[in-house]
Amino acid sequence: MYTQALNNAPETGERQVEDAARMESFQARIDAEERIEPNDWMPAAYRKTLTRQISQHAHSEIVGMLPEGNWITRAPSLRRKAALLAKVQDECGHGLYLYAAAETLGTSREELVDQLLTGKAKYSSIFNYPTLTWADMGAIGWLVDGAAIMNQIPLCRCSYGPYSRAMIRVCKEESFHQRQGYENMVTLSKGNEAQKEMAQDALNRWWWPCLMMFGPPDAASQHSDQSTRWKIKRFSNDELRQKFVDATVPQAQYLGLTLPDPDLKFNEETGHWEYGVIDWEEFKQVIAGNGPCNRDRLAARNKAHAEGAWVREAALAFAEKRRARKAAA
Ligand code: 3HC
């Protein structure tokens, strides 16, 4: 395993020349569309930004289970309950794949999870909003998973092997998540007045936070340039946001719902839907921990982690016993 120590050894003259040559050949591999694998040499900064992004992605999947888990016992039919249950279980699996991918970069699962539980690590802003009605389950599947798919499909071609492979499996399951959500919204928007109002209310509350999910505007994105050079990112935050808007507006029109943006208009020349100003102050507040549900989400994760301690201890004790038995055999 390429050790962290080598990455962080003190700079010496020779070392600097060697590193420059290594950086050059590393970038040549990236430019040639080669996959970087865990045992390959990589710049410390490449390792660091991937650990940051993949672990935050994993945290998002795990925290993302909370808003939807809230409605499993209140689903309106067995079919809806089964679909929602399957989706929430999938999200947990996505989190575990992604923690496994992050661990290949040299940081332990325990350390990554501790960064989440102590509020040091971020997770997606979108999961800090409340799920107030059943229609939110439709809006989340349709919009949040729709946005996640837009962001995750390019990650299937990320330069880091374990991340790109995890994404291929995740994206297959995300398309089911998005379709079950949209079908839910079709049922509600073609239903009675109360159901239509519930669907419109959910769209009103989830639309703008979904646009924020793609990250700050390109001009304010501190990681995009380097992540693009290293082919971690294939499209910028604004490019993916625009793709999402262009794909989603016609879906909202089919539902007969109105997007909560009076400035939304189609530009015949560019072929894109132009949208209004996003409230980046709200985004900043949410990622600073001041969103509607940040405290609840962290409290729920810490409570679950504490209550699950006995499972981790039992699994470790069992593994230890099995190791000792093998050693004695
Ligand atoms: N929520 C929280 N933090 C965000 C954010 C968001 N929506 N968007 C950006 N940020 C943070 C970044 O993490 C970075 O902070 P950091 O340096 O402390 O990590 C800062 O804002 C600047 O943003 P950048 O654009 O410079 O950061 P990135 O280049 O990392 O781009 C990103 C942000 C597009 C979210 C990128 O990290 C990414 O693609 N992450 C992986 C995909 C992901 O997390 N998807 C959403 C959640 S998963 C999901 O929705 C599951 C589905 O099943 C429901």
Side-chain angles (χ1 to χ4, degrees):
M1 176 72 177
Y2 189 85
T3 58
Q4 289 273 18
L6 209 51
N7 267 335
N8 306 328
E11 291 304 316
T12 60
E14 250 162 71
R15 181 68 201 275
Q16 277 164 340
V17 171
E18 184 197 306
D19 266 358
R22 276 180 155 179
M23 289 289 271
E24 227 172 273
S25 65
F26 175 80
Q27 189 60 51
R29 290 192 62 201
I30 296 280
D31 296 344
E33 293 291 344
E34 287 182 31
R35 282 283 178 280
I36 305 301
E37 297 299 337
N39 288 341
D40 293 346
W41 186 87
M42 62 184 84
Y46 179 82
R47 184 188 300 278
K48 186 167 174 236
T49 204
L50 274 168
T51 302
R52 170 191 66 84
Q53 176 165 329
I54 302 173
S55 62
Q56 288 178 176
H57 196 161
H59 299 331
S60 304
E61 301 279 3
I62 299 298
V63 174
M65 293 164 71
L66 294 169
E68 291 177 304
N70 186 19
W71 279 89
I72 290 174
T73 55
R74 296 183 281 173
S77 71
L78 182 59
R79 182 166 174 273
R80 291 287 181 213
K81 183 196 284 267
L84 186 59
L85 198 53
K87 176 179 190 305
V88 172
Q89 282 172 327
D90 282 351
E91 307 299 12
C92 181
H94 297 173
L96 300 182
Y97 301 149
L98 287 162
Y99 282 130
E103 281 180 305
T104 65
L105 289 155
T107 305
S108 74
R109 175 87 53 111
E110 290 71 19
E111 200 177 332
L112 298 173
V113 171
D114 185 61
Q115 287 166 4
L116 169 67
L117 297 177
T118 53
K120 283 194 206 90
K122 290 186 170 74
Y123 56 87
S124 188
S125 49
I126 194 69
F127 298 122
N128 288 307
Y129 291 84
T131 45
L132 303 177
T133 72
W134 170 255
D136 287 37
M137 295 306 103
I140 287 178
W142 170 36
L143 298 172
V144 175
D145 287 75
I149 290 171
M150 213 53 97
N151 163 284
Q152 291 173 162
I153 293 278
L155 286 171
C156 295
R157 292 186 297 121
C158 164
S159 58
Y160 187 57
Y163 195 21
S164 66
R165 291 188 289 271
M167 280 296 103
I168 291 167
R169 168 83 183 261
V170 165
C171 287
K172 287 196 177 90
E173 293 172 339
E174 291 294 9
S175 44
F176 147 64
H177 298 171
Q178 202 263 358
R179 292 211 56 73
Q180 63 84 39
Y182 190 63
E183 193 216 22
N184 190 347
M185 292 301 271
V186 169
T187 307
L188 294 171
S189 64
K190 309 291 178 211
N192 61 35
E193 273 321 299
Q195 288 172 317
K196 274 187 213 148
E197 274 165 35
M198 189 163 61
Q200 182 63 59
D201 163 62
L203 176 57
N204 293 343
R205 285 185 285 107
W206 288 95
W207 175 249
W208 291 103
C210 276
L211 297 195
M212 296 176 201
M213 213 176 134
F214 289 93
D218 292 350
S221 171
Q222 73 211 59
H223 299 292
S224 277
D225 288 349
Q226 185 59 67
S227 290
T228 305
R229 267 195 299 279
W230 278 333
K231 296 189 181 176
I232 297 168
K233 256 185 182 175
R234 295 284 181 164
F235 296 98
S236 76
N237 298 355
D238 287 332
E239 285 171 332
L240 290 180
R241 200 178 344 262
Q242 185 63 64
K243 278 175 179 266
F244 173 73
V245 171
D246 289 346
T248 310
V249 170
Q251 293 171 344
Q253 289 171 337
Y254 173 78
L255 292 173
L257 299 177
T258 309
L259 286 160
D261 177 0
D263 298 321
L264 190 70
K265 63 179 180 302
F266 188 71
N267 181 321
E268 294 293 344
E269 264 171 52
T270 62
H272 292 303
W273 282 93
E274 291 172 356
Y275 49 88
V277 177
I278 296 174
D279 180 353
W280 291 115
E281 188 45 39
E282 176 181 327
F283 174 73
K284 272 194 210 119
Q285 285 305 319
V286 172
I287 66 172
N290 305 319
C293 296
N294 295 58
R295 288 173 189 76
D296 297 351
R297 301 290 183 238
L298 266 196
R301 280 303 317 138
N302 274 288
K303 181 170 179 287
H305 191 75
E307 288 170 354
W310 70 273
V311 178
R312 294 190 296 277
E313 284 153 21
L316 287 171
F318 177 76
E320 192 42 48
K321 216 167 169 186
R322 195 166 52 177
R323 221 192 331 269
R325 240 199 329 268
K326 269 199 183 145

